[in-house]
Amino acid sequence: MKDKNKSGEIGPITPKVRRREAFRIRREAALFQRDHCLPDHLCNGDEDLFPNKIGNFSKGLPHNYLGEVDLNAYNAFIRALTTGNPDDFEAIPLGGDLKLANPQAAYVFDLVGPDSHQLGIAIPPAFNSAWQASEMAELYWQALTRDVPFAAYDTHPLTCAAASDLSKFSDFRGPKDGEKVTTGTLFRGNTPGDLKGPYISQFLWKDIPFGATTIVQRYRTALAGHDYMTSYQEWLGIQNGSSPSSSNVLDPITRYIRNGRDLSEWVHRDFSCQGFLAACLILLSFGQGALDTSNPYLHSSTQDGFITFGAPHILDLVAKAARVALETAWFQKFLVHRRLRPEEFGGRVHNHLTGAASYPINPELFHSSVVGEVFSKFGTYLLPMAYPEGCPAHPAYPAGHALVAGAGVTMLKAFFNESFVIPNPVVASSDGLSLLPYSGPSLTIGGELNKLASNIALGRNTAGVHWRSDGIEGLKLGEKVAIKILEDYVKTYNEDFSGFSLTKFDGTTITIE
């Protein structure tokens, strides 16, 4: 009997040709990524310069009474990283209950975008440099000013003192007004948009349209005045991997982010791409005028974007970029830099100034008034932490939050109109209980996305768990990750599409086509 069923497939090419085209696109994308020049992955040399490893991350391994790592344990750590053998990772001696945070992620391969080992990053500050000293001073000041409302920065004695003090460092690389750090540049990022308007991005304040509901961005935060790891024994125990003796005391009232402590707690609890998915939903609520002018559906009389150039497309790429960014960060963290965390450096400062040890810390730090301010308040020279457990169990450089931020906002810039002026901007009240109208210079999508990236990257500094350079350089590397992913995807669309255009963090404009 004759089969009455017929193929229902139509289209411009046959299934066999389609299969060949799919293979060609994937193969050419792989070749494109393969043929890029490989960078030299250079580090600051601290690991070789200091035999006792005082310039390197070692949290969770066993330490002596100075907080210096047991060298046998550190060598086992290096052996595992060198071989990549899972059994060698299981043989690393730990000092307590804390486990290392996924070091084998440094070896994972991905099928989209750049390989995690393919992109380079600047060399971070050396342990004994003036640059490192200035970054530590900034972190001490950020710890002391966590409870100062951003709205009070211009007049509060502590923020005024911080700006004046940081201006004296010979190699402080935060933003300045002329040659001076001011209360208007204090603790801000270095991107275009960071210095315009309120400290916090509109995307961390405005309501988030979330399906059939709306998320009001009032969050649980920690109570004022609760700082941690300022006792030496507590600090030492946590370096050895012990659990903290206390936990964050949370404010029972939810608040809009209004100070450094609130921002610290936001980046304590967020999931990897949370801020950028939320920003995407806010941007989509602004309507077609907020879309990038290259969107092929803006001028179509018969079609709208959806799976391509619509919400599912953008949300997917934001989330996809986050994981590739973290893979890239983990390679740099574990296999290149192994940079110590600020809390570890704080222990070096304390032991040096109390005479328990002698370390080659740049003297500019000891000329800063902030060192005495910290000792006067807490009785040690340790860095007061916003989190009882301190930093996570992976090296500092670069910051994972920063790479995700750099990748996430770069994806959003590729799909949205960066010059679009954000309607009805707001600013949080000093108590964080309400949003007030903002009446300063116009705020654009591009500027506020840059600010969002810096808020999330440098918010980890406010908590004490990262350095400024971890965040600033991490943003740039995350940006590279997103651009490489877009280079893979730009050839995959059927629409008449001129390419993705966006402004990088350094202010230059590129088109990916």
Side-chain angles (χ1 to χ4, degrees):
M1 213 172 150
K2 205 171 189 182
D3 188 357
K4 296 180 180 179
N5 294 324
K6 296 181 3 180
S7 172
E9 181 176 344
I10 62 174
I13 55 178
T14 66
K16 287 184 178 180
V17 174
R18 170 79 188 190
R19 183 169 63 184
R20 288 199 300 269
E21 275 295 284
F23 174 75
R24 180 189 64 78
I25 288 171
R26 293 183 182 191
R27 183 174 183 274
E28 288 184 0
L31 291 172
F32 177 80
Q33 298 291 357
R34 184 200 69 179
D35 291 343
H36 279 285
C37 293
L38 291 174
D40 292 324
H41 296 296
L42 304 177
C43 64
N44 63 14
D46 282 347
E47 193 169 56
D48 291 332
L49 183 62
F50 304 116
N52 55 1
K53 311 306 177 189
I54 58 170
N56 291 94
F57 171 85
S58 60
K59 185 172 182 175
L61 304 181
H63 299 78
N64 64 17
Y65 72 99
L66 292 173
E68 296 176 1
V69 67
D70 178 277
L71 291 180
N72 289 328
Y74 193 83
N75 289 336
F77 175 53
I78 295 300
R79 183 181 309 112
L81 292 172
T82 302
T83 67
N85 188 328
D87 291 338
D88 287 341
F89 282 97
E90 294 302 314
I92 297 172
L94 299 180
D97 298 326
L98 183 68
K99 297 180 181 181
L100 295 171
N102 197 197
Q104 291 188 67
Y107 310 107
V108 69
F109 290 95
D110 212 305
L111 298 179
V112 176
D115 181 65
S116 62
H117 295 215
Q118 183 179 325
L119 302 176
I121 191 171
I123 300 171
F127 181 91
N128 57 4
S129 66
W131 185 8
Q132 178 104 324
S134 74
E135 291 201 348
M136 190 63 187
E138 182 180 38
L139 291 172
Y140 278 135
W141 282 118
Q142 285 180 290
L144 291 175
T145 59
R146 282 190 190 118
D147 297 316
V148 178
F150 296 122
Y153 268 27
D154 284 346
T155 57
H156 197 281
L158 279 175
T159 47
C160 291
S164 175
D165 181 60
L166 292 173
S167 296
K168 299 172 185 176
F169 281 84
S170 64
D171 199 16
F172 178 67
R173 303 192 187 186
K176 298 178 182 179
D177 186 353
E179 298 297 317
K180 299 291 185 182
V181 179
T182 69
T183 54
T185 68
L186 188 65
F187 307 147
R188 295 203 183 210
N190 297 60
T191 74
D194 267 310
L195 301 184
K196 193 173 184 180
Y199 186 94
I200 295 294
S201 171
Q202 295 296 300
F203 298 112
L204 288 173
W205 278 335
K206 280 186 165 288
D207 291 353
I208 305 167
F210 198 81
T213 190
T214 298
I215 296 175
V216 176
Q217 294 203 68
R218 282 180 55 161
Y219 296 101
R220 293 294 298 272
T221 187
L223 283 177
H226 288 260
D227 298 300
Y228 303 94
M229 291 175 58
T230 57
S231 154
Y232 188 79
Q233 288 308 310
E234 177 85 355
W235 172 84
L236 184 59
I238 288 175
Q239 300 318 298
N240 283 322
S242 299
S243 298
S245 61
S246 58
S247 58
N248 274 114
V249 182
L250 297 180
D251 189 337
I253 301 172
T254 59
R255 299 178 190 269
Y256 293 103
I257 297 172
R258 89 284 196 188
N259 61 27
R261 192 175 300 278
D262 295 354
L263 182 58
S264 295
E265 190 61 14
W266 194 96
V267 293
H268 194 197
R269 308 284 179 175
D270 64 318
F271 60 84
S272 61
C273 55
Q274 177 180 329
F276 316 104
L277 293 180
C280 184
L281 296 173
I282 293 169
L283 287 166
L284 290 166
S285 75
F286 292 161
Q288 284 200 336
L291 293 173
D292 190 84
T293 55
S294 68
N295 188 303
Y297 292 104
L298 280 181
H299 307 293
S300 174
S301 58
T302 61
Q303 307 165 80
D304 280 325
F306 182 55
I307 297 164
T308 55
F309 302 99
H313 188 185
I314 311 169
L315 290 165
D316 172 65
L317 284 179
V318 168
K320 194 182 301 293
R323 182 171 184 266
V324 181
L326 286 172
E327 293 165 3
T328 305
W330 253 240
F331 161 65
Q332 295 287 344
K333 282 174 177 287
F334 280 101
L335 300 187
V336 182
H337 298 288
R338 295 176 293 282
R339 186 185 187 187
L340 85 169
R341 291 277 183 162
E343 69 189 53
E344 295 171 309
F345 194 89
R348 314 288 185 246
V349 174
H350 176 82
N351 283 320
H352 181 87
L353 290 178
T354 58
S358 179
Y359 296 128
I361 298 166
N362 190 282
E364 286 191 22
L365 179 61
F366 305 134
H367 299 154
S368 167
S369 60
V370 75
V371 177
E373 293 271 2
V374 168
F375 187 83
S376 177
K377 183 173 182 178
F378 296 101
T380 67
Y381 298 102
L382 301 169
L383 178 64
M385 306 297 290
Y387 311 150
E389 75 279 11
C391 73
H394 51 82
Y397 189 76
H401 270 75
L403 265 90
V404 172
V409 303
T410 300
M411 284 298 183
L412 294 174
K413 290 178 194 176
F415 285 93
F416 291 98
N417 180 358
E418 294 178 63
S419 63
F420 182 88
V421 175
I422 293 178
N424 305 313
V426 294
V427 61
S429 61
S430 291
D431 59 9
L433 296 178
S434 61
L435 293 178
L436 309 172
Y438 164 74
S439 57
S442 295
L443 304 176
T444 63
I445 285 176
E448 289 301 289
L449 285 176
N450 284 339
K451 190 185 294 178
L452 174 66
S454 292
N455 285 162
I456 291 175
L458 301 186
R460 298 285 282 177
N461 303 11
T462 307
V465 302
H466 270 295
W467 306 93
R468 170 173 282 275
S469 49
D470 296 346
I472 297 302
E473 298 304 324
L475 288 178
K476 297 175 189 176
L477 187 53
E479 179 182 70
K480 291 180 186 178
V481 168
I483 290 170
K484 291 294 182 186
I485 293 173
L486 291 171
E487 287 173 345
D488 274 0
Y489 276 102
V490 74
K491 305 293 187 184
T492 65
Y493 308 119
N494 185 70
E495 294 87 346
D496 289 329
F497 177 52
S498 59
F500 297 106
S501 295
L502 59 96
T503 307
K504 295 174 62 177
F505 291 129
D506 64 6
T508 61
T509 300
I510 63 167
T511 298
I512 303 163
E513 55 188 1

